[in-house]
């Protein structure tokens, strides 16, 4: 009975870890890593870390419980082996993974989550996020332009 309590406690610890990573990250991507060599996995991890992201492999059942606790429905994407990439940048982890998948067909992207929005099309997610960021950048530039105009008028 004690062993079961310890096992359940360890599983809950992993579920809590997944939930914390999801809550702390802007972007989360689930992908199938079957067929990647050890060197390719290391190469991917290095590329993700260069943009402030990383990935980890968890049991699908534990990830499903964590996502369900957060009211994020990705159960259909948790078929077969799944890795869990996460990062604070909205676009960079997705771009690294999509670029890597182009040269390493063994890596298959399943689903992405940006700011709590679930999408199965990584390209769409990147386009939407770039458009959103460009809009924010343009707004900031307009505001700075206005403030500079006011400054130069005096």
């Amino acid at each position: 009975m004690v062993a079961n309590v310890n096992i359940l406690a360890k599983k809950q610890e992993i579920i809590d870890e997944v939930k914390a990573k999801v809550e702390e990250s802007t972007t989360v991507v689930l992908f199938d890593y079957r067929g990647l060599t050890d060197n390719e996995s290391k190469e991917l991890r290095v590329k993700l870390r260069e943009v402030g992201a990383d990935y980890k492999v968890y049991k699908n059942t534990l990830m499903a419980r964590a996502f369900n606790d957060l009211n994020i429905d990705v159960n259909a994407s948790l078929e077969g082996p799944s890795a869990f990439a996460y990062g604070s940048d909205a676009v960079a982890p997705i771009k690294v993974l999509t670029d890597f998948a182009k040269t390493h067909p063994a890596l298959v992207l399943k689903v992405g989550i940006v700011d709590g929005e679930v999408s199965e099309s990584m390209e769409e997610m990147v386009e939407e996020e770039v458009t959103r960021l460009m809009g924010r950048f343009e707004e900031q530039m307009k505001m700075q332009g206005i403030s500079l105009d006011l400054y130069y008028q005096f």
Side-chain angles (χ1 to χ4, degrees):
M1 178 120 167
V2 173
N4 286 342
V5 171
N6 291 337
I7 292 170
L8 290 175
K10 182 64 177 165
K11 287 181 178 183
Q12 187 59 50
E13 190 176 304
I14 293 169
I15 291 166
D16 292 341
E17 179 181 324
V18 172
K19 286 168 49 176
K21 288 187 186 310
V22 172
E23 291 174 333
E24 294 167 2
S25 301
T26 303
T27 302
V28 174
V29 179
L30 297 178
F31 62 95
D32 187 336
Y33 59 92
R34 282 182 294 189
L36 290 180
T37 66
D38 189 46
N39 286 336
E40 290 170 334
S41 294
K42 288 176 184 173
E43 179 186 352
L44 176 59
R45 190 176 306 278
V46 167
K47 288 179 186 252
L48 284 168
R49 286 184 176 161
E50 287 173 356
V51 298
D54 203 353
Y55 82 90
K56 194 162 180 180
V57 177
Y58 297 99
K59 288 188 172 192
N60 285 347
T61 53
L62 300 178
M63 282 197 291
R65 288 198 38 209
F67 282 109
N68 286 338
D69 286 354
L70 295 169
N71 295 317
I72 300 173
D73 184 15
V74 294
N75 290 336
S77 300
L78 291 173
E79 297 292 322
S82 300
F84 173 87
Y86 52 92
S88 58
D89 187 291
V91 176
I94 298 169
K95 178 141 179 46
V96 168
L97 288 165
T98 54
D99 289 349
F100 197 84
K102 289 175 186 173
T103 57
H104 300 83
L107 187 142
V108 178
L109 301 174
K110 294 181 173 187
V111 66
I113 305 159
V114 175
D115 291 329
E117 296 294 319
V118 179
S119 176
E120 292 183 14
S121 170
M122 298 301 130
E123 287 79 16
E124 269 182 38
M125 286 182 75
V126 170
E127 287 175 23
E128 288 173 12
E129 197 58 30
V130 167
T131 301
R132 186 183 71 79
L133 291 173
M134 287 304 294
R136 286 181 58 202
F137 177 72
E138 288 173 2
E139 282 180 34
Q140 289 174 348
M141 292 306 294
K142 285 178 186 175
M143 289 176 66
Q144 287 180 353
I146 291 170
S147 64
L148 287 176
D149 287 343
L150 290 174
Y151 174 77
Y152 287 120
Q153 286 178 355
F154 291 105

